[in-house]
Amino acid sequence: MDIMPELVNVRATQVTAPPPWALLERKLISLMEKGAQMMSRKYAERSGAWYWSDDLDDYYERSHNWCLLYNMGGDEGLVDLALKHWNATTRLFDDRDGNRANNMDYIHGTTPKRLKHNIHNEYFSIVQPEDAEWHHMGEGNMAFYDLALGDPAIHENVRRARRFADMFLGEDPEAPLWDAEHKIIRSPMHGSLGPYHDARLDLVKSYLHGGHSTSPNWEPQPMGRRVSLYPAIKELEPGWWDDPQRAEEIVQLFNHVALDGDCASNLTATALVTNAYLYTGDEKYRRWVVEYVEAWMDRIAQNDGIIPDNVGPTGKPGEHRDGVWWGSSCGWNSVYGWSHVFHAIAVAAECALLLTGDMGYLDLLRSQVKVLLDNSITGEDDRLMVPCRATPDGWDYSCKGDGTATTNFRIYELAHLYHASMSQEDYDIICRVRDGDRTRDWNKVEIGAVRAEWYSEYSRFQYYDGKNPDWPTRALELQYQHALEAYHRMEADERTVPEIIADNLEPPNPVFTKVLTQVMFGSPQYMYHSGLLRATLRYFDRDRARPGLPLDVSALVDSLSADSVGVQLVNTGRHASRNLILQAGAFGEHQLTQVSYDGRDGERVVPVDGKYLAVELPPSTAIRLELGLRRFANQPSYAFPWHGDTIPVPFI
């Protein structure tokens, strides 16, 4: 099938034994696609509903990256499985159907819980408000964004993307979330039934004092675990909930101080609106993202350079807190410290840059990185220590490890900032953090088990900095080890369906795409809490007209700069030629200027001047391409290369 014959085409000529990293990539893809199939078969009904009860976001997360694996070259059946499980989850939690009405109670760890039908109009509602804030909605939405990578032409997903985004544009009368005058989302908790302003007593107890207050083993901590009522209340007496009058007073104060206004974590909503733009190209979505990001950049300026974690109903920092800029849900004062705030501002900065090409929006994140560095201190072991929390007494450097607040400046957001800008300034920031990190070996390859961890970014940075040449192979070996262990654990699980239901253990996702993203796409993994895919290069199978590397083909991005990218492509097979299309950027946002490579007659330099480049790989051949790049030069889209300017969505 001769797709896009007009493309500049490069043909590999060097026959070579495939390097270890190339063989590992293909083995890892093959193993994980089989693991996904086994997981779906063992731990779910044929409809796609998991034999498990838990919160809505956790349910969606089970298959959040299966279409991404398909985009790396995995089996096409992964798209069908991902769609099946997403749709089954949405049906299960729908507020109309009463699914599992005879089996709603379950145990999460040691906490008795009850499954709630907290989806309305196919999106998170406020029936379970703990899920209706952006840390959890962001996690749950990853699976929905993933579907667009599998097939952006599914009309019901385009319709959903529009409807979900339109809530935040103020266009859904059932969900009046957006105040266009003051440019705020009206509550930290919100969803398809509107903003949440009337909290339950048990929720208030949990947010003020930590844990799950409905648990028989609940041990309340001092006020401020997730939310603080400071300065209206400086210290909250133990057992206040036992006095009905005092309990009502505290709940009403919580509603006023904590729920009536916007919070910095809501910046994560920019990804949901950007998702709608990538499907449709509708200017109103781009405009909203820019307006909301700029509103928060203005609030940073109003607050002496620090992003406030709360603004009131008129958009003023600390409006319900006598000007105190911290204290909101999972904000600067919580046990999460700057952690959740940085998730949100990293997502928003990436979205604004993606939609506009304006590097200035990265200052949303960079400015707060500098806040922490400007207020850093030197520890006893000459270690760089940044503030972990804001308190009434100023910055706190004494984190106790009981949340994600930390005095170590992790590389997570820094890696995203540098990948977005590729600037000397952001490179120097990472080097400063590295020089002050006295406890970590940055060359050591580590991959944490959790979805949102960032340990693998240290060794990845070292590779592109010329200090860790074996990183691709070692990282892929470790990821393959994790995938093997997950596969064989599932294979050895002989429980019956009733036993699986009774145990109520989280179904184990055997698909790990972190290292493959780093190696193949030349980028950090997406910001897990609602971030969109990051990629310097993305690949399409020209012969089969589908996303992902062709059969037998492996890719390694081996160099990155502000205006170039180097990539090695290997056909590990001995029998068939493979043809692929390289795309510049995750969504075609970059422009290829030229390609240089070694041909039969020496080095060749060929102009490209487009988003795409075709490459032919005869059997057992490899080629290294050095690609000139103009970054963020094009409007991004979920469209595949052969779609042209418009995604061919039926019934739209």
Side-chain angles (χ1 to χ4, degrees):
M1 186 177 183
D2 193 10
I3 292 178
M4 306 179 72
E6 73 281 5
L7 293 181
V8 174
N9 189 81
V10 170
R11 188 175 190 272
T13 58
Q14 180 186 7
V15 174
T16 183
W21 64 261
L23 298 174
L24 280 166
E25 273 189 9
R26 297 311 312 189
K27 289 178 67 175
L28 185 54
I29 290 170
S30 177
L31 176 66
M32 293 191 299
E33 66 189 18
K34 292 180 175 62
Q37 294 160 4
M38 187 195 305
M39 177 187 173
S40 181
R41 187 171 60 251
K42 276 197 169 189
Y43 300 108
E45 300 177 65
R46 181 163 289 193
S47 68
W50 303 108
Y51 298 132
W52 178 55
S53 293
D54 210 323
D55 295 336
L56 172 57
D57 60 303
D58 297 319
Y59 228 81
Y60 277 131
E61 288 178 89
R62 294 310 90 219
S63 54
H64 77 276
N65 58 349
W66 291 8
C67 287
L68 178 55
L69 180 59
Y70 167 63
N71 267 259
M72 294 165 168
D75 185 79
E76 190 150 358
L78 291 164
V79 180
D80 298 323
L81 287 176
L83 281 165
K84 180 174 77 169
H85 290 298
W86 192 93
N87 283 314
T89 295
T90 304
R91 289 192 303 270
L92 172 62
F93 285 86
D94 188 274
D95 59 7
R96 298 167 297 181
D97 296 341
N99 288 305
R100 295 191 185 175
N102 63 338
N103 191 25
M104 304 291 283
D105 295 307
Y106 65 95
I107 301 294
H108 179 92
T110 60
T111 302
K113 301 189 77 172
R114 186 168 179 81
L115 190 144
K116 295 183 179 180
H117 296 130
N118 56 316
I119 278 183
H120 181 73
N121 285 342
E122 301 184 301
Y123 193 74
F124 290 80
S125 74
I126 53 175
V127 171
Q128 179 85 351
E130 298 93 326
D131 283 351
E133 43 79 30
W134 270 103
H135 180 76
H136 293 103
M137 284 196 296
E139 290 178 326
N141 285 344
M142 300 300 294
F144 184 62
Y145 306 152
D146 187 62
L147 298 180
L149 303 177
D151 187 348
I154 298 173
H155 84 275
E156 61 182 344
N157 285 341
V158 180
R159 172 179 53 80
R160 288 162 174 156
R162 280 189 173 276
R163 189 172 69 248
F164 299 165
D166 288 349
M167 292 188 295
F168 293 88
L169 273 64
E171 297 182 5
D172 184 344
E174 280 195 275
L177 304 181
W178 179 241
D179 181 334
E181 178 184 357
H182 300 106
K183 294 183 173 54
I184 65 164
I185 296 171
R186 288 190 166 100
S187 175
M189 299 178 187
H190 53 267
S192 53
L193 289 171
Y196 184 67
H197 288 142
D198 189 13
R200 308 183 314 263
L201 175 59
D202 65 287
L203 180 145
V204 175
K205 291 163 62 179
S206 297
Y207 270 70
L208 291 178
H209 300 287
H212 297 282
S213 66
T214 57
S215 172
N217 302 317
W218 184 53
E219 296 182 2
Q221 303 297 313
M223 182 186 73
R225 297 293 289 180
R226 286 188 243 179
V227 172
S228 174
L229 298 178
Y230 188 90
I233 293 180
K234 295 180 173 60
E235 292 184 9
L236 193 52
E237 69 276 10
W240 55 266
W241 47 87
D242 294 327
D243 179 344
Q245 184 175 344
R246 181 60 167 163
E248 177 64 19
E249 177 186 338
I250 296 301
V251 169
Q252 292 306 315
L253 183 61
F254 184 94
N255 290 339
H256 177 67
V257 172
L259 297 181
D260 185 24
D262 205 348
C263 70
S265 294
N266 282 347
L267 274 162
T268 316
T270 53
L272 190 65
V273 178
T274 300
N275 176 68
Y277 179 89
L278 294 172
Y279 269 116
T280 67
D282 194 323
E283 174 64 16
K284 70 178 182 179
Y285 299 124
R286 189 196 71 83
R287 186 166 56 247
W288 184 88
V289 170
V290 168
E291 287 181 355
Y292 193 45
V293 168
E294 288 182 352
W296 277 99
M297 294 180 80
D298 289 343
R299 290 160 192 159
I300 291 173
Q302 295 167 25
N303 195 50
D304 297 326
I306 302 174
I307 190 167
D309 66 24
N310 69 95
V311 300
T314 67
K316 296 178 182 177
E319 186 172 346
H320 285 329
R321 298 175 181 270
D322 295 333
V324 174
W325 50 269
W326 49 261
S328 186
S329 177
C330 301
W332 283 102
N333 180 247
S334 73
V335 293
Y336 308 106
W338 49 267
S339 177
H340 284 21
V341 174
F342 271 51
H343 287 163
I345 59 179
V347 168
E350 286 184 337
C351 287
L353 170 60
L354 178 67
L355 295 181
T356 66
D358 186 345
M359 291 286 179
Y361 289 111
L362 293 180
D363 282 335
L364 176 69
L365 174 58
R366 186 183 296 113
S367 65
Q368 302 313 291
V369 169
K370 290 180 177 179
V371 165
L372 294 185
L373 289 174
D374 289 347
N375 288 280
S376 64
I377 61 175
T378 302
E380 294 179 358
D381 53 358
D382 291 330
R383 177 170 63 91
L384 175 72
M385 296 176 63
V386 297
C388 57
R389 296 168 60 245
T391 74
D393 299 320
W395 293 115
D396 175 26
Y397 301 86
S398 59
C399 300
K400 300 175 182 178
D402 52 0
T404 55
T406 176
T407 55
N408 292 316
F409 207 150
R410 67 192 184 202
I411 198 173
Y412 195 20
E413 292 84 2
L414 302 181
H416 278 258
L417 178 61
Y418 179 48
H419 181 259
S421 73
M422 294 305 298
S423 71
Q424 185 67 41
E425 178 181 18
D426 295 329
Y427 170 82
D428 290 343
I429 286 174
I430 295 181
C431 290
R432 178 182 173 187
V433 171
R434 181 178 62 187
D435 292 345
D437 189 348
R438 304 298 185 185
T439 59
R440 181 184 299 277
D441 177 1
W442 281 42
N443 286 328
K444 182 180 179 181
V445 176
E446 296 181 279
I447 307 170
V450 297
R451 296 173 292 277
E453 64 80 30
W454 50 88
Y455 301 121
S456 57
E457 288 298 332
Y458 295 97
S459 54
R460 187 185 83 89
F461 176 79
Q462 293 291 88
Y463 172 71
Y464 289 109
D465 201 32
K467 296 177 172 62
N468 201 3
D470 297 329
W471 166 77
T473 299
R474 291 192 295 135
L476 287 163
E477 285 173 343
L478 185 56
Q479 194 76 93
Y480 188 64
Q481 178 69 31
H482 288 177
L484 273 176
E485 291 170 356
Y487 182 89
H488 287 300
R489 276 196 302 269
M490 283 195 303
E491 190 177 47
D493 187 351
E494 297 180 349
R495 291 176 298 163
T496 64
V497 169
E499 289 171 336
I500 291 171
I501 293 172
D503 290 342
N504 200 47
L505 299 175
E506 181 180 281
N509 185 2
V511 175
F512 305 95
T513 48
K514 191 173 304 175
V515 170
L516 288 177
T517 300
Q518 295 169 331
V519 171
M520 286 183 175
F521 296 163
S523 68
Q525 178 183 241
Y526 38 53
M527 293 297 302
Y528 184 72
H529 301 87
S530 205
L532 299 171
L533 178 67
R534 302 296 309 136
T536 307
L537 295 175
R538 192 170 154 203
Y539 311 95
F540 295 84
D541 187 329
R542 193 179 187 189
D543 293 322
R544 294 187 292 168
R546 53 151 285 181
L549 288 167
L551 295 170
D552 301 324
V553 173
S554 298
L556 167 62
V557 172
D558 64 10
S559 69
L560 292 167
S561 76
D563 58 4
S564 68
V565 54
V567 61
Q568 299 177 42
L569 299 168
V570 180
N571 183 352
T572 66
R574 295 180 290 109
H575 303 294
S577 290
R578 304 299 184 190
N579 293 281
L580 67 148
I581 297 172
L582 270 65
Q583 175 179 282
F587 312 112
E589 65 270 23
H590 304 325
Q591 183 87 342
L592 299 172
T593 58
Q594 66 177 33
V595 57
S596 60
Y597 61 99
D598 288 334
R600 290 189 184 278
D601 302 322
E603 183 179 12
R604 297 196 62 193
V605 180
V606 179
V608 179
D609 194 27
K611 300 179 189 179
Y612 311 116
L613 173 70
V615 180
E616 179 184 355
L617 294 167
S620 301
T621 59
I623 192 169
R624 185 185 185 278
L625 307 176
E626 186 71 21
L627 299 157
L629 205 63
R630 283 197 296 117
R631 305 172 72 252
F632 300 101
N634 300 313
Q635 286 302 303
S637 172
Y638 280 137
F640 295 162
W642 47 89
H643 288 161
D645 295 332
T646 305
I647 301 171
V649 182
F651 310 114
I652 293 293

